[in-house]
Amino acid sequence: MARLAAASLVGTAIEFFDFFVYGTAAALVLGPLFFPTFSPVAGTLAAFGTFAIGFLSRPLGSIVFGHVGDRHGRRPVLFASLLLTGCATVAVGCVPTYESIGVAAPVLLLVLRFLQGLGLGGEWGGAVLLTAEHAPARRRGLWASFPQIGPAVGFLLANGVMLALTAGLSDADFRSWGWRVPFWAAGLLAAAGLALRSSLAETPQFEELAAEGRRATAPLSEVVRGHWRLVLLTAGALAVGYAVFYTVSTWALAYGTERLGVSSTVMLTCVMAAVAVKGAATPFFAMLGDRYGRRTLCLAGCAASALWMFPMVALLHTARPLLMFLGFLGSLLAFITMFAVVAAYLPELYEPRVRCTGAAVGYNLAGVLGGALTPIVATAVSDGGSGPPWGVAAYLTVVALVSLGCFALLPETLPARAAVPEPERAPA
């Protein structure tokens, strides 16, 4: 289990490095380089629009790779998704700017971002099922949480490289070529991830399905016919997690640098510190989920998110590093209270024959609802005025309450304590 969990964590970290480095670049530099004819706010919105394309393609990726995972096994998904995302990310680093090739530059950016999202849409399902279907029932939440640490590691890698570049290069050099370096580095990381995953075994549950001839012929069709309500509920339930995370990791970077005048180095440091604590806390919340229930933790995380959004915006608006860090940290701890357990929760909600498609589609559809729209909506409602952007807090609070309602309609999946085998007593 340790080897499987490590392989899932590393692969997921690499995929999310690819995905996050684009979000950071969109907040810091892509607007003026690829949309120079727009105003600063419109350029940021356009850059976040290309950022959103990656989320729109993720459900399609979950359908394509979910079909592969349910028909041919979880293991092939891990290779194909990592290869696709890595190649697309390297290509982003090679795209000429608007000044060189005109409108073809943002078009190429859109295409490559679409391919990034397509690969990432398959990654989560494959990585999570690899650990969840191998793990013992009493520790499934803990083992399945390791792929959920991957996004934090990927974010720290992506932003650590960006932070080093912004601190070590002049602004002109960073805008000229420095921002491309993390995208080029993705090729080396993808190669390392593929090598690590080459020795992984297929999951016992899929091998059992294949041996008994019970694999789904058309997984998406079965999910739509028999699990459509479950897919919509899981998408709505997880939307708040995406909204909170990308508010902190993407919109706040742009708002802090452009509206508050805080240096990008300070903003990146505050966000990275909060993400590091969030990543370290993931196994702790996963163990709580194994003890008290997946749904219980998810409800608590949603409630905490709804209560914390207005304080978070107020702390951000102070532009004081310590206070901004505390605002980000509270938001991300509420987020990980939910997302530490969803890697075990979602697979348990779906039957094994359609699990790869159903869980991945629900998870990535939530990304469209919460992740794709949030930076755009937040940028739009925070434009103008000198006070705190309360519209952003109100928007996030509403999303949290909707997700709370969706989680309330989902069942608990934690095995009953009575079903967990107790140690046998010695004969009298």
Side-chain angles (χ1 to χ4, degrees), residues 70 216 218-235 346-359 361-362 365 410:
D70 286 325
L220 179 62
S221 178
E222 289 192 30
V223 168
V224 171
R225 289 199 313 269
H227 303 279
W228 63 269
R229 181 176 180 272
L230 183 57
V231 170
L232 294 179
L233 283 176
T234 53
L346 262 64
E348 289 171 344
L349 287 170
Y350 292 88
E351 58 180 306
R353 59 186 279 116
V354 295
R355 182 173 285 163
C356 195
T357 300
V361 169
L365 190 57
L410 290 171

Side-chain angles (χ1 to χ4, degrees), residues 335-352:
F335 157 81
I336 204 57
T337 303
M338 297 173 279
F339 272 57
V341 299
V342 297
Y345 192 29
L346 262 64
E348 289 171 344
L349 287 170
Y350 292 88
E351 58 180 306

Side-chain angles (χ1 to χ4, degrees), residues 117-394:
L118 201 68
L120 193 63
E123 164 66 24
W124 185 85
V128 163
L129 292 189
L130 187 75
T131 51
E133 292 187 345
H134 275 99
R138 286 182 293 178
R139 293 289 181 267
R140 184 175 294 129
L142 174 61
W143 287 115
S145 72
F146 280 86
Q148 297 297 81
I149 302 174
V153 176
F155 183 87
L156 292 173
L157 284 174
N159 288 277
V161 173
M162 282 290 192
L163 182 61
L165 290 168
T166 54
L169 297 175
S170 66
D171 186 63
D173 285 341
F174 179 75
R175 289 175 179 271
S176 174
W177 58 268
W179 68 272
R180 300 180 183 273
V181 173
F183 292 93
W184 296 334
L188 297 176
L189 293 175
L194 290 170
L196 181 63
R197 289 180 165 183
S198 62
S199 61
L200 298 180
E202 188 53 77
T203 69
Q205 289 190 21
F206 179 80
E207 289 182 339
E208 182 180 346
L209 287 173
E212 297 175 358
R214 295 190 293 115
R215 289 177 295 176
T217 304
L220 179 62
S221 178
E222 289 192 30
V223 168
V224 171
R225 289 199 313 269
H227 303 279
W228 63 269
R229 181 176 180 272
L230 183 57
V231 170
L232 294 179
L233 283 176
T234 53
L238 298 178
V240 63
Y242 281 97
V244 168
F245 186 84
Y246 286 101
T247 294
V248 171
S249 65
T250 302
W251 170 78
L253 284 177
Y255 182 81
T257 54
E258 295 174 7
R259 293 286 303 279
L260 302 180
V262 181
S263 73
S264 58
T265 301
V266 171
M267 291 302 302
L268 282 172
T269 302
C270 291
V271 175
M272 287 172 62
V275 171
V277 177
K278 184 266 293 185
T282 301
F284 170 73
F285 286 108
M287 288 189 288
L288 291 181
D290 279 331
R291 181 172 180 82
Y292 299 108
R294 330 291 192 208
R295 180 173 172 269
T296 302
L297 268 289
C298 291
L299 291 171
C302 276
S305 297
L307 294 172
W308 188 248
M309 291 303 98
F310 278 91
M312 186 272 289
V313 166
L315 291 169
L316 168 64
H317 193 71
T318 65
R320 298 173 63 181
L322 179 59
L323 295 181
M324 290 192 296
F325 163 73
L326 292 176
F328 297 154
L329 179 61
S331 301
L332 294 183
L333 289 179
F335 157 81
I336 204 57
T337 303
M338 297 173 279
F339 272 57
V341 299
V342 297
Y345 192 29
L346 262 64
E348 289 171 344
L349 287 170
Y350 292 88
E351 58 180 306
R353 59 186 279 116
V354 295
R355 182 173 285 163
C356 195
T357 300
V361 169
Y363 186 86
N364 288 292
L365 190 57
V368 177
L369 301 176
L373 298 178
T374 294
I376 298 173
V377 173
T379 301
V381 300
S382 63
D383 184 27
S386 57
W390 299 123
V392 176

